[in-house]
Amino acid sequence: MAFLEIRGEKPQPHDVRRELRAIFLRFAILAPIIVALTAWFWPETFLSLPLQKTRFWLLIMVLYPMLSVWPQEVLYRAFLFARYRSLFRSDTGIIIASALAFGFAHVIFLNWIAIGMTTAGGLLFARDYARHRSLRLTCLEHSLYGCLIFTVGLGRFFYTGAAWHH
């Protein structure tokens, strides 16, 4: 796949088991922090989606990775890395550019939480993508955090309908 080749070089082989361990370990550390902060700052919406609209929540859990995560990762990781890598002297530059583009794309939600969280997530996802060049692994990690965000009650910051009705 052309998107996976940077400057004509084949991606370096990666140890999938090691990468999966790293993804799940990082998630095991960061997820409780996200959960605790959400419960603390927004107790009124904490877990509201799975508790009040269970079917809709389940639909999001299934469709979000395919309809949102995959296209975003193709654009902000695979395409951006392949198309614009030559503009940067190091991986650090393309990682930052990817994260900023990803965060900026979320200005449509009209709140700093969406922009801040996606910029931070974009740094994480781009850094890992720069190392392993695996869309599958990057999509997995993005899906974990995205599904967590919708589960704990932060999804309201990532929903366009809500942005225009405040």
Side-chain angles (χ1 to χ4, degrees), residues 3-4 77-78 81 125-133 138:
F3 284 150
L4 297 180
R77 258 48 84 187
F81 271 67
F125 307 147
R127 185 200 66 186
D128 288 353
Y129 183 78
R131 185 182 62 253
H132 56 56
R133 298 288 199 273
T138 306

Side-chain angles (χ1 to χ4, degrees), residues 44-142:
E44 69 282 357
T45 58
F46 184 66
L47 298 176
S48 59
L49 188 59
L51 293 175
Q52 295 171 8
K53 297 180 179 179
T54 308
R55 287 185 195 159
F56 183 56
W57 171 74
L58 288 170
L59 192 62
I60 291 170
M61 296 301 104
V62 171
L63 296 179
Y64 172 76
M66 294 180 292
L67 300 180
S68 184
V69 170
W70 179 258
Q72 288 179 58
E73 291 306 326
V74 166
L75 179 61
Y76 295 104
R77 258 48 84 187
F79 173 74
L80 195 140
F81 271 67
R83 178 68 177 93
Y84 298 105
R85 177 67 179 95
S86 63
L87 298 177
F88 299 93
R89 294 177 190 244
S90 69
D91 277 348
T92 302
I94 191 72
I95 289 167
I96 291 170
S98 174
L100 290 175
F102 186 60
F104 182 73
H106 290 80
V107 300
I108 191 169
F109 297 120
L110 304 177
N111 68 79
W112 66 269
I113 293 169
I115 298 166
M117 289 185 78
T118 54
T119 301
L123 278 171
L124 178 69
F125 307 147
R127 185 200 66 186
D128 288 353
Y129 183 78
R131 185 182 62 253
H132 56 56
R133 298 288 199 273
S134 169
L135 268 179
R136 286 186 178 122
L137 290 170
T138 306
C139 286
L140 170 65
E141 188 161 26
H142 185 161

Side-chain angles (χ1 to χ4, degrees), residues 7-22:
R7 286 199 255 172
E9 301 170 8
K10 295 271 185 208
Q12 294 297 313
H14 54 274
D15 180 347
V16 174
R17 285 189 189 126
R18 189 184 78 223
E19 296 292 344
L20 287 170
R21 277 193 300 273

